[in-house]
Structures are given as structure tokens and as C-alpha cells.
Amino acid sequence: MATILKQDLALCEYRTFPDGESYSQVVTEPEGEVAIIQSTITDRDIIYILQLLDICRDKRVSLVIPYFGYARQDKIFKSGEPMTARAIAYAINPFLSAGSKVYTVNIHASSVLSHFSCPAQNLDATALLAERVQTLGLNNPVIISPDKGAVAMGKIAASCLGAECDYLEKTRLSGTEVSMAPKEINVIGRDVVIFDDMIATGGTMATAISILKKQGARKVYLAAVHPVLTGNAILKLYRSGVEAVLSTDTIDRGVGTISVAPLIADALKGLSGI
Ligand code: R5P
């Protein structure tokens, strides 16, 4: 991003104290406005954000959180639970001075943005994933969303690719049995690309792959913005028969080869921003 924006890239150092506490230092002190870019994959990453914000407390900050962890805790689902995504925003808010902005990429629930005290925008990397799918040279592919929640993303991907789209619908067969199938489109003999915001344990995608393969899909590809990939997720996906996993670099993983830097750089330049 620094290269795209022709700006300095400040060198930061990160260490862990013997008792486990985190230490951050900006070695080359930035001048003027700063952009802090940090995904929150682990709890420690949240501390890094707070430390960097504290270092830059006198500056106007654009805070970019490409993968916003805890965004699935956007509601109080059971009494006695916290709304963790809101708690994180509230911890960050005191550092956001006038003119500060927050950016996320395909945050799981955009309602989380309303908890920030400054303008906050969610950027959409679906078109970047679709561009990569285009290079696969698939013939007449079908875009599938693994659930209703991912339908909006599936529709955007389908319109970028000029493809048909559908979603997997659950039908309850009995108290214990559920079947899943594309709502309308027959996938027999067709290449399928499943689009979702993230792959965490891989359970959702592995189920979707198996179902689509059983229903006669030729090849099944996955396109997900955030490759969280906990535990043996990638093994589960390949065991289910996935052809390839396409993902962005919001999280630093091997499959994350599609850079979101141009998307964020455009927003920071004010081309698509708030
Ligand atoms: C859920 O609503 C999300 O969009 C993803 O489908 C989900 O978080 C993926 O989780 P997992 O990989 O653990 O099934």
C-alpha cells in the first residue's frame, strides 16, 4: 500500500515481554497523517492496534482493519453475553480524533461499524476475487452462496462474472435430518464457485463442497475474502474435494494470494472512500 500510495512505510517492532505482555515500537516516527493497517486475527492484534493508536495519538489516523475479528459477536445472542465487536470499537474510539476514519474489508456484520465514533466504511473485495476466478477460464460456471447470509456477495460475484448464482437451501427432513441443495440451479456437470466472506474451521465450506460434488458438480472452487483457516481447515476442504481455494491477503496465509492493497489504497486516496 505504501508503494501504491507513494508514501513512507514506517518500520515497527513487535516483541513479547517475559510475562507475555506485548510490546510495540514505531522505529521510524511517521510525520503528518498516518494509516495504521492491522487485521485482528488474534487478541494480541487488538493490543497492537491500541498501542499503535497510542503512539499516533496526536495525529490524524486512518485505521484499516482488513480482517475484523469478533465481528460475528455483533449481537447479544444469549443473556449475560457481551457484544464483543462493540467492546472493541469502544476501546478504539478514544483515540479517534476529528478527521480520523476506520476501514474494514468484508466485515462479517456491517452493523459493527456504527459503534465507531468516526466515519467507518466497509470495503468490498468480491470483485477482486471474481477477477481471479475469471482467470481460471471456467466454462459456464455457477456461483453458489453457502447460506442466505452470503447471497449478496454471491450476486455481486455473479454480476462481475456474468454468471448464474444460487444459494444452498436447508430443508428439514426430520427432527435430526437436514438436506441442503442449490435452491434452483442444477449443478450437474458444471463448475461451481462458492463465495463466502470467510473460511474459519472450514466446516461450512466442506459441507457445501461435499453436497455439490454429490449433486454432480464437475469441479468446485472456493472464493473467500478472509482465510482464517483454523486447525485443519485446509485439509478438510481438500478432503471434501475442492479444486482450489482462492483468498485475499487480509490474513497472511498461503492461499491468500489476492492483494486487497489496491482496494484500500483507493479508499485512502478518497476515490471510493468516506
Ligand atoms: C458465517 O455466517 C460466515 O459467513 C461463514 O460462513 C462462517 O463463519 C464460516 O465458518 P466455518 O469455516 O467455521 O464453517
Side-chain angles (χ1 to χ4, degrees), residues 199 227 229 234 238 245-248 253-258:
I199 310 170
L229 299 174
I234 204 85
Y238 280 94
V245 179
L246 314 176
S247 199
T248 80
R253 301 273 190 261
V255 295
T257 58
I258 301 162

Side-chain angles (χ1 to χ4, degrees), residues 72 108 146-147 149-150 196-205 230 233:
R72 285 175 290 178
H108 183 72
D147 52 42
D196 204 355
D197 61 337
M198 71 168 91
I199 310 170
T201 64
T204 306
M205 289 293 209
T230 54

Side-chain angles (χ1 to χ4, degrees), residues 135-190:
T135 67
L136 300 173
L138 305 181
N139 184 21
N140 194 17
V142 187
I143 307 304
I144 296 281
S145 310
D147 52 42
K148 272 192 187 168
V151 165
M153 186 180 184
K155 281 188 179 161
I156 295 170
S159 105
C160 294
L161 292 158
E164 289 183 296
C165 64
D166 202 350
Y167 69 92
L168 292 181
E169 190 178 51
K170 275 188 202 168
T171 313
R172 185 154 292 283
L173 304 174
S174 69
T176 52
E177 271 182 296
V178 169
S179 80
M180 272 170 109
K183 186 151 169 43
E184 281 165 8
I185 296 177
N186 188 333
V187 294
I188 292 177
R190 294 182 71 176

Side-chain angles (χ1 to χ4, degrees), residues 88-104:
I88 294 168
Y90 283 10
I92 289 171
N93 281 342
F95 294 102
L96 301 172
S97 54
S100 291
K101 287 172 185 167
V102 172
Y103 298 92
T104 56

